[in-house]
Amino acid sequence: MKSDNAKYYIFGAHPRGYTMYQYLRTLEPEAHILGFLYDNDEKNPEELEGIKVSDLGKAASGELDTDATVYLGTRGVFHDSIKARLLAYGFSEENIIPVTPSLDMELRNEYVKRGFEEKGKDFVKLEADGQTENMSEIHASDIKQDLFDATTYLYIAKTIFDGDFSKPIALKDHECILQAGTAAHGSRLSDALFFDNDGENISDRNSQFCELTAMYWIWKNSDADVVGLEHWRRRFLLPDNWTGIMEEKGIDVILPVPLCVMPSLKENFVGRHLPEIWDASMDALKTVHPEDAVPADEYFKTVNLYSPCNMLIARKYVFDEYSEWLFPVLFELNRLIGKVEDNYQNRYPGFVSERLLNYYFDIRRGDLNIAYADKSFLS
């Protein structure tokens, strides 16, 4: 995205705003950031990477350049109120740019593509039907669906707490509902085809392992040739005949387009979660896979991209090999930490596994054909 204005502010001094700055300084290096802005009472840093973080109220005293562009790097629910304040302080409407999900997706894809190219990695992307063609993606035009004759299940992890959508959304081909946490929560969902307390399972650990109880069930019980894990509200955006593309191109695994987090995967985790959990996760990795201890430590300190949500689609043997590597680490971590009183932080096995997934597949690029796809959030 190109702005006509070569100077800009970013509204928001927390992860969303910081990530927006990372996008802009990479994609528009000629533009000049004047600072980060905020207008709330929560704790904000005084500066980010040497760039001043200022209260929007300073615009009233003339300390801010109201001719500059302002990118709203906050949650969308706050955009209207922030925009109203900016207009009142003299910023022009055409220079106020909300960072919407679509803009974030556009910038993220271009940022990831450029980052991969700089490191000599292939950024292979499956583009869903109807999406804008803005880079070198794999499209469906010349690939026939009937090339693919394997059994395929995209399991959608759903719990009893997942409510209805604002309007009905039909399942796509290959999608089916797998109830997660069935043993922990009692009742069975009427729309679920599979339940994670059948067969070999860890369903009763759902309060800590979240969608990983579904992943474990798929590993131990699915006999499909290709499997995937999605969330009730988070789905992959795929071409209609993605299975044919996967077969013809020899794709082994599809991951969500990575997110950018600053300044690194390790520091981002420590800033959002309990530091002792990160330390214990590295201890668990060293215990279970000692050969990974040193390379993983370096990876997490230097890499700032990760595919989120524990979502993936893979050939079953790839899925199984990953699960066989992952779960012993998480079980050892769970043994070390136990239960955390804060319900959100108690979900640490799922948070840690999001980072481990990226390390696992990134270091295996020479052996696996990895592709990416955008994901949606359904409301």
Side-chain angles (χ1 to χ4, degrees), residues 266-328:
K266 175 183 176 180
E267 293 305 317
N268 175 261
F269 185 96
V270 170
R272 298 180 62 189
H273 305 289
L274 303 177
E276 58 268 30
I277 289 178
W278 182 260
D279 294 338
S281 69
M282 294 300 99
D283 289 341
L285 182 63
K286 183 177 181 179
T287 297
V288 179
H289 303 297
E291 70 281 2
D292 285 305
V294 173
D297 181 65
E298 179 66 16
Y299 181 87
F300 291 123
K301 288 193 298 186
T302 58
V303 172
N304 71 336
L305 294 173
Y306 82 108
S307 296
C309 303
N310 291 308
M311 289 172 55
L312 74 161
I313 300 170
R315 299 181 187 274
K316 183 57 162 53
Y317 76 89
V318 174
F319 190 97
D320 289 350
E321 289 174 354
Y322 168 59
S323 299
E324 189 172 358
W325 179 89
L326 173 69
F327 279 100

Side-chain angles (χ1 to χ4, degrees), residues 326-339:
L326 173 69
F327 279 100
V329 178
L330 298 180
F331 293 152
E332 173 63 12
L333 170 62
N334 200 212
R335 185 189 70 80
L336 293 172
I337 295 294
K339 182 180 179 180

Side-chain angles (χ1 to χ4, degrees), residues 92-103:
S92 61
E93 184 164 6
E94 61 268 24
N95 285 341
I96 301 172
I97 302 177
V99 183
T100 61
S102 60
L103 176 57

Side-chain angles (χ1 to χ4, degrees), residues 20-21 40 46 83 93-94 124 130 141 161 260 284 287 316 344 374:
M20 186 63 188
Y21 169 59
N40 53 41
E46 294 184 358
K83 181 178 179 180
E93 184 164 6
E94 61 268 24
V124 178
S141 56
F161 304 109
C260 168
T287 297
K316 183 57 162 53
Y344 178 73
D374 290 313

